[in-house]
Amino acid sequence: MGWVATRRGASNLAVAGAAGAAHPPPDPSLEREGGVIALLTALSIRNVVLIEALDLEFGAGLSVLTGETGAGKSILLDSLGLALGARADSGLVRNGEAQASVIATFDPPTGDHRAAALLIDNGVEMEPGEPLIIRRMVKADGGSRAFVNDQPCSAALLRELGGSLVEIHGQHDDRGLLNARGHRALLDAYGRCDTGAVGTAHSAWRKAAAALAEARATVETAARDRDYLAHAVEELRSFAPEPGEEAALAEERATMQKGARLTDDLTTISECLTGSDGGLAQLRQAARRLDRIAGEEPLLTAVLEALDRAVVEAGEAEDRLAEAAEALSFDPARLDSIETRLFDLRGLARKHQVQPDDLAALCEEMAAKLAAIEGGEEHIAALETEVATKAAAYRAAAQALSGERQLAAGRLDAAVAGELAPLKLDAARFRTVVAPLDEGQWTGQGMDRVEFEISTNPGAPFAPLIKIASGGELSRFILALKVALAEQGGADTLIFDEIDRGVGGAVASAIGERLARLAQSNQILVVTHSPQVAARGAGHLLIAKSSDGTVTRTGVHALDDQERREEIARMLSGAEITAEARAQADRLLETL
């Protein structure tokens, strides 16, 4: 069968065994800027170490997990960690089984939730309103597979996605608030420091700097060719090539060369036709004589007519011969000049590896490059001025942001300090370090390095959290920070593993009060041995181990009000529950 644990009429969580049916609780939502937060709603575990089959459902608020030492609380957390991207160890597979599996179900991340962005960036499809389901399987012979909404998922994406949804704080925690890389964003969220202006200024500065670098590289490359370009432009401009010039010169030279070959023949032909002894003169003389005697004989008239036609044709031939001689006449000096220019024109074309007709355009192109080189220094000076202006704007915006961060750091330090004493950390000191970065490390997020540091004892130096605190002390520091930061970033579901280790009484009560306060904006799961903390939960899970003599199993039971009273009494008194322990349990529950 299944069980439902209730408190003050509000169902918070449910649990079912392999044969039982889960009772889904109502899901009071928690709101944050950017959308409804993505709560862990269900956890299904199969064949993980001592857990054969277990289905858990969770709601908003504070849920506590209790049980005897060795009952298997760590197995439950290991199972969840496996679903969130922890190392897949085949030792987690229950003895005799082929594989273990864990399914974690979350509310769909919406708005600007980091998990939503990760899903989009990695092409993981989600139907609107559908839950986010992460499934991880580990084989007994090694190897594992992960799926997000039934789509295969890499281990790297699973770790990043899990970190955006759940933070597990315990003795071996090295993520979440202990990761200094996220401290700057947390401080900015806490102080409501707007990095938009800095990001815009940084982008403009980098863009101007890139343009300057490109211009310098262009001028530097072109400057190496300055002398060559200057010489080439001067040479081409002096020569003044024109498109079509090669064809015109070649045609003129061919005509002159033809005239040189035909000159002697034309002169001989002209001498045969013209002059006092030329053929044309002889024809004319013959025609005059024939004209005087043509009347003596009718046949001579026909001869005269033919001779007159010959004189006319010979005259025309003489005229055409003169025209041809004129056309084919040439000046040897001109021919030599044409041949020299044609040779030089073709030589320049070969030198510059272009066609002769393209030399004029090449000259203009080279002249433009030379002008760019000569004007490059002026252009670079203008770009340098622009870069300096943009850099100054970025520095001003980043310095203003640094000032905001310093003020926010002071407020955060005071807020955390107010939380330390009630948590039995009154000798410790906390500080938020806002230190300048080297210029090469400046980004669109500013020019500051932000890190949370603590000193655990008077006179002890400050150092990062992870290097000083340990165990329950570390968890209490995390709790103090989380309470101070309240809704400012981080995962929506926080799990604290034995945060009350080594403390009791008033300190345990203070821990419980702060967990309950934090649960107003986050979903909180806490593994605890403290009755004061357990009494604060909106829901209570009891983890217990059972054996039938051959097989040992870990089970989880959601407690109702009466069962919860008994469990808190057990935590107060030990193995034997006394009436006094039950009365004390009632007082703890009634005062909350």
Side-chain angles (χ1 to χ4, degrees):
M1 66 176 289
W3 299 265
V4 177
T6 59
R7 182 167 183 260
R8 298 194 183 103
S11 176
N12 177 261
L13 52 85
V15 58
H23 295 250
D27 185 19
S29 61
L30 301 175
E31 296 283 347
R32 280 190 185 172
E33 292 184 11
V36 177
I37 68 175
L39 301 180
L40 173 67
T41 59
L43 185 65
S44 179
I45 305 170
R46 294 293 183 272
N47 299 319
V48 176
V49 194
L50 299 179
I51 298 176
E52 183 176 16
L54 188 63
D55 296 291
L56 302 173
E57 294 190 0
F58 303 92
L62 173 62
S63 299
V64 298
L65 293 81
T66 65
E68 298 282 0
T69 299
K73 296 184 291 295
S74 62
I75 299 175
L76 198 63
L77 295 184
D78 288 344
S79 299
L80 179 58
L82 183 66
L84 300 176
R87 179 176 174 272
D89 186 353
S90 59
L92 291 173
V93 180
R94 181 177 172 82
N95 187 35
E97 300 293 337
Q99 69 176 23
S101 68
V102 181
I103 300 175
T105 304
F106 295 85
D107 287 331
T110 59
D112 60 359
H113 198 291
R114 188 159 64 95
L118 283 172
L119 295 173
I120 293 172
D121 292 344
N122 288 275
V124 178
E125 298 179 358
M126 282 194 65
E127 292 295 330
E130 290 296 314
L132 172 61
I133 301 174
I134 299 174
R135 178 162 55 99
R136 186 87 179 274
M137 297 183 299
V138 182
K139 295 182 178 180
D141 58 359
S144 70
R145 299 181 67 190
F147 300 86
V148 176
N149 284 12
D150 287 330
Q151 299 167 63
C153 169
S154 68
L157 173 58
L158 190 62
R159 283 191 296 272
E160 193 170 3
L161 183 62
S164 71
L165 295 166
V166 178
E167 290 180 17
I168 300 178
H169 298 291
Q171 298 182 64
H172 306 293
D173 178 41
D174 60 355
R175 297 186 295 178
L177 288 178
L178 299 187
N179 189 342
R181 287 180 297 179
H183 291 176
R184 184 170 61 190
L186 287 170
L187 180 64
D188 287 345
Y190 176 80
R192 299 189 181 277
C193 303
D194 185 5
T195 61
V198 174
T200 300
H202 184 267
S203 178
W205 176 29
R206 291 294 92 198
K207 185 177 180 180
L212 174 59
E214 182 179 358
R216 282 175 172 165
T218 301
V219 169
E220 182 179 348
T221 300
R224 292 195 294 266
D225 301 329
R226 183 196 299 269
D227 293 341
Y228 165 74
L229 288 172
H231 171 75
V233 169
E234 177 61 27
E235 181 181 42
L236 288 170
R237 283 179 172 171
S238 296
F239 191 83
E242 296 180 0
E245 184 179 5
E246 182 199 24
L249 289 173
E251 183 179 0
E252 186 176 358
R253 184 185 68 161
T255 300
M256 286 188 173
Q257 288 174 333
K258 186 192 299 182
R261 292 195 310 271
L262 300 177
T263 295
D264 290 343
D265 291 337
L266 291 176
T267 299
T268 300
I269 294 171
S270 179
E271 289 175 353
C272 291
L273 285 175
T274 61
S276 58
D277 295 329
L280 184 57
Q282 294 293 327
L283 284 174
R284 285 171 179 165
Q285 183 179 356
R288 284 194 299 270
R289 287 185 180 186
L290 186 58
D291 183 57
R292 288 195 299 269
I293 65 172
E296 300 294 333
E297 173 58 48
L299 290 175
L300 292 178
T301 301
V303 173
L304 178 61
E305 290 176 354
L307 192 58
D308 285 340
R309 289 196 300 271
V311 170
V312 172
E313 292 291 338
E316 291 180 357
E318 183 183 37
D319 292 341
R320 298 294 178 272
L321 184 61
E323 290 175 2
E326 178 66 26
L328 293 172
S329 66
F330 71 97
D331 180 357
R334 171 63 180 164
L335 177 58
D336 184 64
S337 173
I338 288 174
E339 288 183 332
T340 298
R341 184 163 180 84
L342 186 60
F343 178 81
D344 291 343
L345 180 68
R346 288 172 173 171
L348 277 174
R350 287 193 299 272
K351 177 181 178 180
H352 293 290
Q353 298 181 344
V354 297
Q355 294 299 316
D357 286 349
D358 295 331
L359 284 171
L362 177 64
C363 180
E364 294 304 315
E365 181 181 338
M366 287 182 165
K369 288 182 178 179
L370 187 61
I373 294 173
E374 293 170 348
E377 293 301 325
E378 181 179 346
H379 179 57
I380 286 176
L383 287 175
E384 286 175 340
T385 300
E386 182 180 3
V387 170
T389 301
K390 298 290 174 60
Y394 170 78
R395 286 189 181 92
Q399 287 168 357
L401 177 61
S402 295
E404 292 180 29
R405 284 173 173 159
Q406 293 287 358
L407 293 174
R411 295 197 304 272
L412 178 59
D413 291 352
V416 174
E419 299 293 335
L420 295 179
L423 296 175
K424 202 178 180 181
L425 296 170
D426 47 306
R429 292 174 297 154
F430 172 87
R431 73 178 183 187
T432 304
V433 176
V434 181
L437 291 168
D438 293 335
E439 184 171 339
Q441 297 176 295
W442 293 356
T443 69
Q445 301 300 312
M447 55 177 64
D448 304 312
R449 174 183 67 85
V450 176
E451 187 169 5
F452 301 148
E453 294 183 344
I454 61 168
S455 168
T456 54
N457 296 296
F462 281 91
L465 282 169
I466 198 169
K467 291 186 178 180
I468 292 182
S470 62
E473 184 181 56
L474 175 60
S475 295
R476 296 201 303 278
F477 265 113
I478 296 296
L479 177 59
L481 259 176
K482 279 293 184 182
V483 171
L485 290 168
E487 299 179 2
Q488 311 305 326
D492 301 328
T493 299
L494 307 178
I495 298 176
F496 292 92
D497 184 12
E498 299 187 1
I499 190 173
D500 48 15
R501 177 185 297 235
V503 299
V507 176
S509 294
I511 291 173
E513 187 275 329
R514 280 153 179 78
L515 287 170
R517 193 195 317 169
L518 194 57
Q520 295 174 6
S521 58
N522 293 81
Q523 182 184 42
I524 307 296
L525 278 68
V526 57
V527 176
T528 181
H529 290 286
S530 167
Q532 291 90 343
V533 173
R536 288 279 182 175
H540 194 145
L541 290 173
L542 176 62
I543 303 172
K545 187 162 57 177
S546 62
S547 176
D548 60 7
T550 58
V551 177
T552 301
R553 297 180 177 86
T554 288
V556 180
H557 178 59
L559 304 182
D560 61 22
D561 288 347
Q562 184 57 37
E563 291 170 328
R564 188 176 184 199
R565 171 177 175 264
E566 287 296 299
E567 171 61 10
I568 292 176
R570 182 199 64 77
M571 297 171 72
L572 286 165
S573 64
E576 183 180 349
I577 302 176
T578 64
E580 183 180 352
R582 289 189 177 92
Q584 179 64 21
D586 288 337
R587 284 192 291 272
L588 283 175
L589 291 169
E590 289 170 0
T591 56
L592 302 179

